[in-house]
Structure formats: C-alpha cells, structure tokens
Amino acid sequence: MDLFTNFPLWSAFAAIVFAQVVKVPIEFIATRKVHWGLVFSTGGMPSSHSAAVTSLTTAIGLTEGFGSPYFAISTIFAVIVMFDATGVRRHAGEQAIVLNKLVEDFNHFITEAKMWPDQAEQEKQEKLKELLGHQPIEVFFGAITGIAISCFIYFFLL
C-alpha cells in the first residue's frame, strides 16, 4: 500500500490529532479556562493513545477483514496500549502527585525555617508531570473516538 494512500495509517493519525485538539474544548467546558498546552500534552479526555490504536485496528479490520492476522496483531497491540494507559502510566502520575506535594512541603518548610526575605526571587521548582495516564473512562472514550474516526473516513471520505 502506498504511504500516502495508507488508510489505516492516516486514520490513526487523524484520530490522534482529533483526540488531542478536542481536549481543549472539553477542558474549557469543565473548568471555563482555555489550556492550549493540552494539544501537546499526555493524559486527559479522551485518550489519544486509545483513539490511535482503535482507529488503526478498525481501519485494518475494514480494509483487510476482521478475520485477518493483521487485525489480530493490531487488536492485541491496542489492548496492550490501553491497558498501559490505565495501569502503569496512571499510577506513575499518581506517584508524581505525591512527590510534588512532598517537594512543595519540604520547600515550604525550608523557607519558613530560614525566613528567607526575598522569596519572590527564588527559583521555581520544576514539578513532575502528573497527568501521565488515563482514567478508564478516558480510555473508553478514546477508543470510541478512534473507531468513529476510522469509520467516518472509510465510509464518507474514501
């Protein structure tokens, strides 16, 4: 299949872009604040990882058949990615929250203990990224997004 007409590849890329961009309005609805950085960030609703792998898997199923070995390989790949998104990466994010709180408390203690007069000039501490993984609902909606994007492209644009 030619690179520029590779439907599964472009479907997965479209799902990633859509899932990343749609995070901004979803966050705005939830918080009434615009966070453009979400477009290039991990975590959040919906999961772009799940959207990508389910879009890829759906596109392979539509083009190669749902009984093909390619579909089987892609399905297992999708399951592993989505499991990782809700497991290891999510727990790493939860640990980052605890570590950031410990660093914040320690720095506050040091500041109070030494009574530093010019706290405003202190260098800011870099925080660990807390939004690494996904809640199961974020993975679910990422998967639905991926399937929908792939089907839309297949049935309406090809």
Side-chain angles (χ1 to χ4, degrees):
M1 198 180 260
D2 186 41
L3 179 65
F4 295 107
T5 59
N6 188 325
F7 165 59
L9 176 67
W10 294 107
S11 177
F13 278 140
I16 291 169
V17 170
F18 178 82
Q20 286 300 118
V21 170
V22 79
K23 289 178 184 185
V24 175
I26 289 173
E27 179 73 12
F28 177 76
I29 290 168
T31 65
R32 297 291 183 231
K33 295 179 182 174
V34 177
H35 299 280
W36 288 107
L38 290 174
V39 173
F40 303 103
S41 180
T42 59
M45 172 73 88
S47 164
S48 60
H49 291 85
S50 298
V53 294
T54 57
S55 182
L56 176 65
T57 302
T58 303
I60 288 172
L62 291 169
T63 57
E64 302 295 327
F66 291 95
S68 75
Y70 303 115
F71 179 75
I73 292 166
S74 185
T75 299
I76 296 304
F77 172 69
V79 168
I80 291 169
V81 168
M82 290 187 290
F83 179 77
D84 180 63
T86 58
V88 175
R89 290 178 63 241
R90 180 171 169 219
H91 291 293
E94 290 173 0
Q95 289 176 355
I97 291 170
V98 172
L99 288 172
N100 285 336
K101 182 65 176 152
L102 286 171
V103 169
E104 183 180 309
D105 289 348
F106 179 75
N107 286 333
H108 182 70
F109 171 76
I110 294 297
T111 302
E112 293 277 325
K114 292 185 176 182
M115 299 237 178
W116 291 344
D118 53 358
Q119 293 175 354
E121 294 180 22
Q122 284 183 336
E123 198 174 288
K124 289 186 176 180
Q125 296 294 319
E126 183 177 337
K127 287 190 170 188
L128 295 171
K129 180 145 178 52
E130 296 174 359
L131 192 58
L132 292 172
H134 294 282
Q135 300 289 330
I137 192 74
E138 295 170 341
V139 170
F140 174 76
F141 279 106
I144 296 299
T145 299
I147 292 168
I149 293 288
S150 190
C151 288
F152 176 81
I153 293 170
Y154 185 79
F155 291 114
F156 296 107
L157 300 180
L158 292 183

